[in-house]
PDB file of all heavy atoms in Angstrom:
ATOM      1  N   GLU A1524       4.227 -14.845 -40.910  1.00 77.00           N
ATOM      2  CA  GLU A1524       5.108 -16.015 -40.939  1.00 77.00           C
ATOM      3  C   GLU A1524       6.186 -15.899 -42.012  1.00 77.00           C
ATOM      4  O   GLU A1524       6.054 -15.038 -43.001  1.00 77.00           O
ATOM      5  CB  GLU A1524       4.279 -17.320 -41.290  1.00 77.00           C
ATOM      6  CG  GLU A1524       3.324 -17.710 -40.237  1.00 77.00           C
ATOM      7  CD  GLU A1524       2.539 -18.886 -40.497  1.00 77.00           C
ATOM      8  OE1 GLU A1524       2.770 -19.476 -41.615  1.00 77.00           O
ATOM      9  OE2 GLU A1524       1.739 -19.389 -39.762  1.00 77.00           O
ATOM     10  N   ASN A1525       7.295 -16.514 -41.735  1.00 76.00           N
ATOM     11  CA  ASN A1525       8.483 -16.540 -42.628  1.00 76.00           C
ATOM     12  C   ASN A1525       9.091 -15.216 -42.792  1.00 76.00           C
ATOM     13  O   ASN A1525       9.612 -14.829 -43.802  1.00 76.00           O
ATOM     14  CB  ASN A1525       8.063 -17.230 -44.001  1.00 76.00           C
ATOM     15  CG  ASN A1525       7.668 -18.647 -43.950  1.00 76.00           C
ATOM     16  OD1 ASN A1525       8.277 -19.329 -43.149  1.00 76.00           O
ATOM     17  ND2 ASN A1525       6.690 -19.015 -44.678  1.00 76.00           N
ATOM     18  N   SER A1526       8.975 -14.478 -41.699  1.00 76.00           N
ATOM     19  CA  SER A1526       9.684 -13.092 -41.758  1.00 76.00           C
ATOM     20  C   SER A1526      11.161 -13.367 -41.368  1.00 76.00           C
ATOM     21  O   SER A1526      11.493 -14.477 -40.915  1.00 76.00           O
ATOM     22  CB  SER A1526       9.030 -12.176 -40.699  1.00 76.00           C
ATOM     23  OG  SER A1526       9.158 -12.743 -39.440  1.00 76.00           O
ATOM     24  N   VAL A1527      11.999 -12.404 -41.542  1.00 77.00           N
ATOM     25  CA  VAL A1527      13.371 -12.462 -41.225  1.00 77.00           C
ATOM     26  C   VAL A1527      13.730 -11.662 -40.096  1.00 77.00           C
ATOM     27  O   VAL A1527      12.955 -10.728 -39.636  1.00 77.00           O
ATOM     28  CB  VAL A1527      14.293 -12.063 -42.499  1.00 77.00           C
ATOM     29  CG1 VAL A1527      14.078 -13.053 -43.620  1.00 77.00           C
ATOM     30  CG2 VAL A1527      13.895 -10.528 -42.932  1.00 77.00           C
ATOM     31  N   SER A1528      14.904 -11.868 -39.321  1.00 76.00           N
ATOM     32  CA  SER A1528      15.134 -11.328 -38.138  1.00 76.00           C
ATOM     33  C   SER A1528      15.732  -9.904 -38.190  1.00 76.00           C
ATOM     34  O   SER A1528      15.825  -9.284 -37.151  1.00 76.00           O
ATOM     35  CB  SER A1528      16.197 -12.262 -37.289  1.00 76.00           C
ATOM     36  OG  SER A1528      17.250 -12.490 -38.261  1.00 76.00           O
ATOM     37  N   GLN A1529      16.253  -9.520 -39.264  1.00 87.00           N
ATOM     38  CA  GLN A1529      17.067  -8.290 -39.338  1.00 87.00           C
ATOM     39  C   GLN A1529      16.199  -7.057 -39.652  1.00 87.00           C
ATOM     40  O   GLN A1529      15.024  -7.107 -39.965  1.00 87.00           O
ATOM     41  CB  GLN A1529      18.094  -8.361 -40.367  1.00 87.00           C
ATOM     42  CG  GLN A1529      19.152  -9.402 -40.045  1.00 87.00           C
ATOM     43  CD  GLN A1529      20.433  -9.097 -40.681  1.00 87.00           C
ATOM     44  OE1 GLN A1529      21.471  -9.392 -40.093  1.00 87.00           O
ATOM     45  NE2 GLN A1529      20.386  -8.801 -42.012  1.00 87.00           N
ATOM     46  N   HIS A1530      16.719  -5.954 -39.354  1.00 89.00           N
ATOM     47  CA  HIS A1530      16.246  -4.639 -39.744  1.00 89.00           C
ATOM     48  C   HIS A1530      16.785  -4.165 -41.083  1.00 89.00           C
ATOM     49  O   HIS A1530      17.747  -4.723 -41.519  1.00 89.00           O
ATOM     50  CB  HIS A1530      16.625  -3.515 -38.685  1.00 89.00           C
ATOM     51  CG  HIS A1530      16.063  -3.767 -37.280  1.00 89.00           C
ATOM     52  ND1 HIS A1530      16.846  -4.580 -36.359  1.00 89.00           N
ATOM     53  CD2 HIS A1530      14.845  -3.698 -36.712  1.00 89.00           C
ATOM     54  CE1 HIS A1530      16.099  -4.658 -35.249  1.00 89.00           C
ATOM     55  NE2 HIS A1530      14.859  -4.148 -35.432  1.00 89.00           N
ATOM     56  N   PHE A1531      16.142  -3.163 -41.701  1.00 90.00           N
ATOM     57  CA  PHE A1531      16.476  -2.710 -43.051  1.00 90.00           C
ATOM     58  C   PHE A1531      17.894  -2.158 -42.947  1.00 90.00           C
ATOM     59  O   PHE A1531      18.606  -2.153 -44.012  1.00 90.00           O
ATOM     60  CB  PHE A1531      15.557  -1.740 -43.634  1.00 90.00           C
ATOM     61  CG  PHE A1531      15.526  -0.366 -43.078  1.00 90.00           C
ATOM     62  CD1 PHE A1531      16.470   0.518 -43.473  1.00 90.00           C
ATOM     63  CD2 PHE A1531      14.807   0.020 -41.882  1.00 90.00           C
ATOM     64  CE1 PHE A1531      16.482   1.942 -42.992  1.00 90.00           C
ATOM     65  CE2 PHE A1531      14.908   1.213 -41.318  1.00 90.00           C
ATOM     66  CZ  PHE A1531      15.727   2.168 -41.904  1.00 90.00           C
ATOM     67  N   PHE A1532      18.385  -1.623 -41.933  1.00 89.00           N
ATOM     68  CA  PHE A1532      19.661  -0.980 -41.880  1.00 89.00           C
ATOM     69  C   PHE A1532      20.842  -1.849 -41.409  1.00 89.00           C
ATOM     70  O   PHE A1532      21.950  -1.336 -41.312  1.00 89.00           O
ATOM     71  CB  PHE A1532      19.601   0.184 -40.822  1.00 89.00           C
ATOM     72  CG  PHE A1532      19.003  -0.123 -39.495  1.00 89.00           C
ATOM     73  CD1 PHE A1532      19.806  -0.694 -38.442  1.00 89.00           C
ATOM     74  CD2 PHE A1532      17.626   0.112 -39.250  1.00 89.00           C
ATOM     75  CE1 PHE A1532      19.287  -1.099 -37.350  1.00 89.00           C
ATOM     76  CE2 PHE A1532      17.140  -0.268 -38.019  1.00 89.00           C
ATOM     77  CZ  PHE A1532      17.954  -0.785 -37.038  1.00 89.00           C
ATOM     78  N   GLU A1533      20.600  -3.167 -41.212  1.00 87.00           N
ATOM     79  CA  GLU A1533      21.488  -3.944 -40.706  1.00 87.00           C
ATOM     80  C   GLU A1533      22.205  -4.793 -41.924  1.00 87.00           C
ATOM     81  O   GLU A1533      21.504  -5.088 -42.928  1.00 87.00           O
ATOM     82  CB  GLU A1533      21.076  -5.105 -39.724  1.00 87.00           C
ATOM     83  CG  GLU A1533      20.697  -4.450 -38.351  1.00 87.00           C
ATOM     84  CD  GLU A1533      20.017  -5.505 -37.399  1.00 87.00           C
ATOM     85  OE1 GLU A1533      19.051  -6.110 -37.803  1.00 87.00           O
ATOM     86  OE2 GLU A1533      20.651  -5.662 -36.389  1.00 87.00           O
ATOM     87  N   LYS A1534      23.394  -5.081 -41.869  1.00 84.00           N
ATOM     88  CA  LYS A1534      24.132  -5.796 -42.873  1.00 84.00           C
ATOM     89  C   LYS A1534      24.264  -7.427 -42.397  1.00 84.00           C
ATOM     90  O   LYS A1534      24.088  -7.640 -41.351  1.00 84.00           O
ATOM     91  CB  LYS A1534      25.513  -5.291 -43.136  1.00 84.00           C
ATOM     92  CG  LYS A1534      25.511  -3.842 -43.691  1.00 84.00           C
ATOM     93  CD  LYS A1534      26.849  -3.344 -43.915  1.00 84.00           C
ATOM     94  CE  LYS A1534      26.782  -1.937 -44.446  1.00 84.00           C
ATOM     95  NZ  LYS A1534      28.233  -1.365 -44.798  1.00 84.00           N
ATOM     96  N   GLY A1535      24.717  -8.123 -43.283  1.00 78.00           N
ATOM     97  CA  GLY A1535      24.926  -9.602 -42.983  1.00 78.00           C
ATOM     98  C   GLY A1535      23.669 -10.430 -43.503  1.00 78.00           C
ATOM     99  O   GLY A1535      22.674  -9.983 -43.868  1.00 78.00           O
ATOM    100  N   LYS A1536      23.763 -11.709 -43.235  1.00 74.00           N
ATOM    101  CA  LYS A1536      22.762 -12.687 -43.696  1.00 74.00           C
ATOM    102  C   LYS A1536      21.593 -12.757 -42.545  1.00 74.00           C
ATOM    103  O   LYS A1536      21.933 -12.921 -41.465  1.00 74.00           O
ATOM    104  CB  LYS A1536      23.326 -14.058 -43.845  1.00 74.00           C
ATOM    105  CG  LYS A1536      22.360 -15.079 -44.482  1.00 74.00           C
ATOM    106  CD  LYS A1536      23.093 -16.388 -44.674  1.00 74.00           C
ATOM    107  CE  LYS A1536      22.068 -17.467 -45.345  1.00 74.00           C
ATOM    108  NZ  LYS A1536      22.836 -18.718 -45.551  1.00 74.00           N
ATOM    109  N   SER A1537      20.467 -12.586 -43.034  1.00 76.00           N
ATOM    110  CA  SER A1537      19.314 -12.600 -42.096  1.00 76.00           C
ATOM    111  C   SER A1537      18.895 -14.080 -41.875  1.00 76.00           C
ATOM    112  O   SER A1537      19.266 -14.915 -42.561  1.00 76.00           O
ATOM    113  CB  SER A1537      18.123 -11.805 -42.781  1.00 76.00           C
ATOM    114  OG  SER A1537      17.795 -12.330 -43.980  1.00 76.00           O
ATOM    115  N   VAL A1538      18.106 -14.327 -40.807  1.00 76.00           N
ATOM    116  CA  VAL A1538      17.690 -15.577 -40.447  1.00 76.00           C
ATOM    117  C   VAL A1538      16.109 -15.635 -40.343  1.00 76.00           C
ATOM    118  O   VAL A1538      15.544 -14.783 -39.872  1.00 76.00           O
ATOM    119  CB  VAL A1538      18.240 -15.908 -39.126  1.00 76.00           C
ATOM    120  CG1 VAL A1538      17.632 -17.265 -38.641  1.00 76.00           C
ATOM    121  CG2 VAL A1538      19.656 -16.042 -39.089  1.00 76.00           C
ATOM    122  N   TYR A1539      15.563 -16.570 -40.948  1.00 75.00           N
ATOM    123  CA  TYR A1539      14.098 -16.788 -40.950  1.00 75.00           C
ATOM    124  C   TYR A1539      13.636 -17.172 -39.548  1.00 75.00           C
ATOM    125  O   TYR A1539      14.316 -17.859 -38.819  1.00 75.00           O
ATOM    126  CB  TYR A1539      13.590 -17.725 -41.887  1.00 75.00           C
ATOM    127  CG  TYR A1539      13.477 -17.332 -43.384  1.00 75.00           C
ATOM    128  CD1 TYR A1539      14.678 -17.560 -44.209  1.00 75.00           C
ATOM    129  CD2 TYR A1539      12.510 -16.555 -43.872  1.00 75.00           C
ATOM    130  CE1 TYR A1539      14.559 -17.067 -45.579  1.00 75.00           C
ATOM    131  CE2 TYR A1539      12.419 -16.092 -45.155  1.00 75.00           C
ATOM    132  CZ  TYR A1539      13.469 -16.354 -45.971  1.00 75.00           C
ATOM    133  OH  TYR A1539      13.421 -15.896 -47.281  1.00 75.00           O
ATOM    134  N   LYS A1540      12.485 -16.573 -39.158  1.00 70.00           N
ATOM    135  CA  LYS A1540      11.927 -16.949 -37.878  1.00 70.00           C
ATOM    136  C   LYS A1540      10.452 -17.175 -37.846  1.00 70.00           C
ATOM    137  O   LYS A1540       9.789 -16.637 -38.865  1.00 70.00           O
ATOM    138  CB  LYS A1540      12.227 -15.824 -36.865  1.00 70.00           C
ATOM    139  CG  LYS A1540      11.737 -14.333 -37.155  1.00 70.00           C
ATOM    140  CD  LYS A1540      12.065 -13.335 -36.247  1.00 70.00           C
ATOM    141  CE  LYS A1540      11.473 -11.903 -36.586  1.00 70.00           C
ATOM    142  NZ  LYS A1540      11.738 -10.946 -35.824  1.00 70.00           N
ATOM    143  N   ASN A1541       9.826 -17.784 -36.986  1.00 63.00           N
ATOM    144  CA  ASN A1541       8.438 -17.935 -37.009  1.00 63.00           C
ATOM    145  C   ASN A1541       7.840 -17.459 -35.721  1.00 63.00           C
ATOM    146  O   ASN A1541       7.885 -18.084 -34.642  1.00 63.00           O
ATOM    147  CB  ASN A1541       8.138 -19.586 -36.965  1.00 63.00           C
ATOM    148  CG  ASN A1541       6.686 -19.812 -37.126  1.00 63.00           C
ATOM    149  OD1 ASN A1541       6.022 -18.956 -37.434  1.00 63.00           O
ATOM    150  ND2 ASN A1541       6.235 -21.111 -36.812  1.00 63.00           N
ATOM    151  N   GLU A1542       7.360 -16.173 -35.829  1.00 59.00           N
ATOM    152  CA  GLU A1542       6.737 -15.527 -34.767  1.00 59.00           C
ATOM    153  C   GLU A1542       5.309 -15.031 -35.174  1.00 59.00           C
ATOM    154  O   GLU A1542       4.922 -13.813 -34.959  1.00 59.00           O
ATOM    155  CB  GLU A1542       7.578 -14.390 -34.246  1.00 59.00           C
ATOM    156  CG  GLU A1542       8.784 -14.670 -33.674  1.00 59.00           C
ATOM    157  CD  GLU A1542       9.572 -13.621 -32.975  1.00 59.00           C
ATOM    158  OE1 GLU A1542       9.086 -12.469 -32.991  1.00 59.00           O
ATOM    159  OE2 GLU A1542      10.701 -13.798 -32.634  1.00 59.00           O
ATOM    160  N   SER A1543       4.597 -15.890 -35.930  1.00 57.00           N
ATOM    161  CA  SER A1543       3.326 -15.428 -36.501  1.00 57.00           C
ATOM    162  C   SER A1543       2.255 -15.111 -35.251  1.00 57.00           C
ATOM    163  O   SER A1543       1.239 -14.488 -35.663  1.00 57.00           O
ATOM    164  CB  SER A1543       2.690 -16.535 -37.279  1.00 57.00           C
ATOM    165  OG  SER A1543       2.547 -17.675 -36.583  1.00 57.00           O
ATOM    166  N   LYS A1544       2.535 -15.536 -34.050  1.00 63.00           N
ATOM    167  CA  LYS A1544       1.544 -15.223 -32.990  1.00 63.00           C
ATOM    168  C   LYS A1544       1.926 -13.990 -32.218  1.00 63.00           C
ATOM    169  O   LYS A1544       1.539 -13.931 -31.066  1.00 63.00           O
ATOM    170  CB  LYS A1544       1.300 -16.457 -32.225  1.00 63.00           C
ATOM    171  CG  LYS A1544       0.629 -17.702 -32.941  1.00 63.00           C
ATOM    172  CD  LYS A1544       0.301 -18.870 -32.072  1.00 63.00           C
ATOM    173  CE  LYS A1544      -0.332 -19.951 -32.756  1.00 63.00           C
ATOM    174  NZ  LYS A1544      -0.627 -21.126 -31.882  1.00 63.00           N
ATOM    175  N   TYR A1545       2.821 -13.197 -32.823  1.00 73.00           N
ATOM    176  CA  TYR A1545       3.356 -12.045 -32.013  1.00 73.00           C
ATOM    177  C   TYR A1545       2.151 -11.232 -31.504  1.00 73.00           C
ATOM    178  O   TYR A1545       1.334 -10.743 -32.303  1.00 73.00           O
ATOM    179  CB  TYR A1545       4.257 -11.137 -32.940  1.00 73.00           C
ATOM    180  CG  TYR A1545       4.518  -9.813 -32.310  1.00 73.00           C
ATOM    181  CD1 TYR A1545       5.707  -9.769 -31.439  1.00 73.00           C
ATOM    182  CD2 TYR A1545       3.922  -8.721 -32.679  1.00 73.00           C
ATOM    183  CE1 TYR A1545       5.977  -8.568 -30.939  1.00 73.00           C
ATOM    184  CE2 TYR A1545       4.276  -7.500 -32.126  1.00 73.00           C
ATOM    185  CZ  TYR A1545       5.330  -7.445 -31.378  1.00 73.00           C
ATOM    186  OH  TYR A1545       5.623  -6.165 -30.754  1.00 73.00           O
ATOM    187  N   LYS A1546       2.104 -11.008 -30.204  1.00 79.00           N
ATOM    188  CA  LYS A1546       1.008 -10.199 -29.577  1.00 79.00           C
ATOM    189  C   LYS A1546      -0.373 -10.430 -30.126  1.00 79.00           C
ATOM    190  O   LYS A1546      -1.038  -9.509 -30.510  1.00 79.00           O
ATOM    191  CB  LYS A1546       1.477  -8.747 -29.722  1.00 79.00           C
ATOM    192  CG  LYS A1546       2.668  -8.433 -28.847  1.00 79.00           C
ATOM    193  CD  LYS A1546       2.781  -6.932 -28.721  1.00 79.00           C
ATOM    194  CE  LYS A1546       3.824  -6.604 -27.787  1.00 79.00           C
ATOM    195  NZ  LYS A1546       4.079  -5.106 -27.548  1.00 79.00           N
ATOM    196  N   LYS A1547      -0.696 -11.744 -30.222  1.00 82.00           N
ATOM    197  CA  LYS A1547      -2.032 -12.129 -30.776  1.00 82.00           C
ATOM    198  C   LYS A1547      -3.091 -11.453 -30.099  1.00 82.00           C
ATOM    199  O   LYS A1547      -4.094 -10.908 -30.675  1.00 82.00           O
ATOM    200  CB  LYS A1547      -2.163 -13.576 -30.838  1.00 82.00           C
ATOM    201  CG  LYS A1547      -3.429 -14.086 -31.493  1.00 82.00           C
ATOM    202  CD  LYS A1547      -3.535 -15.610 -31.467  1.00 82.00           C
ATOM    203  CE  LYS A1547      -4.821 -16.087 -32.187  1.00 82.00           C
ATOM    204  NZ  LYS A1547      -4.795 -17.617 -32.144  1.00 82.00           N
ATOM    205  N   ALA A1548      -3.091 -11.394 -28.703  1.00 84.00           N
ATOM    206  CA  ALA A1548      -4.196 -10.814 -28.007  1.00 84.00           C
ATOM    207  C   ALA A1548      -4.175  -9.325 -28.107  1.00 84.00           C
ATOM    208  O   ALA A1548      -5.356  -8.669 -28.227  1.00 84.00           O
ATOM    209  CB  ALA A1548      -3.921 -11.027 -26.502  1.00 84.00           C
ATOM    210  N   PHE A1549      -3.150  -8.692 -28.286  1.00 88.00           N
ATOM    211  CA  PHE A1549      -2.971  -7.212 -28.556  1.00 88.00           C
ATOM    212  C   PHE A1549      -3.721  -6.949 -29.823  1.00 88.00           C
ATOM    213  O   PHE A1549      -4.601  -5.977 -29.926  1.00 88.00           O
ATOM    214  CB  PHE A1549      -1.519  -6.849 -28.525  1.00 88.00           C
ATOM    215  CG  PHE A1549      -1.438  -5.462 -29.027  1.00 88.00           C
ATOM    216  CD1 PHE A1549      -1.535  -4.252 -28.274  1.00 88.00           C
ATOM    217  CD2 PHE A1549      -1.093  -5.049 -30.382  1.00 88.00           C
ATOM    218  CE1 PHE A1549      -1.363  -2.955 -28.734  1.00 88.00           C
ATOM    219  CE2 PHE A1549      -0.892  -3.860 -30.905  1.00 88.00           C
ATOM    220  CZ  PHE A1549      -1.102  -2.707 -30.041  1.00 88.00           C
TER     221      PHE A1549
END
Side-chain angles (χ1 to χ4, degrees):
E1524 291 182 0
N1525 295 324
S1526 61
V1527 294
S1528 59
Q1529 293 201 142
H1530 299 95
F1531 75 90
F1532 51 83
E1533 292 179 301
K1534 296 180 179 179
K1536 188 176 181 180
S1537 56
V1538 178
Y1539 281 94
K1540 58 181 180 177
N1541 184 15
E1542 294 186 6
S1543 59
K1544 294 183 179 180
Y1545 171 83
K1546 290 194 173 183
K1547 184 177 180 180
F1549 170 83

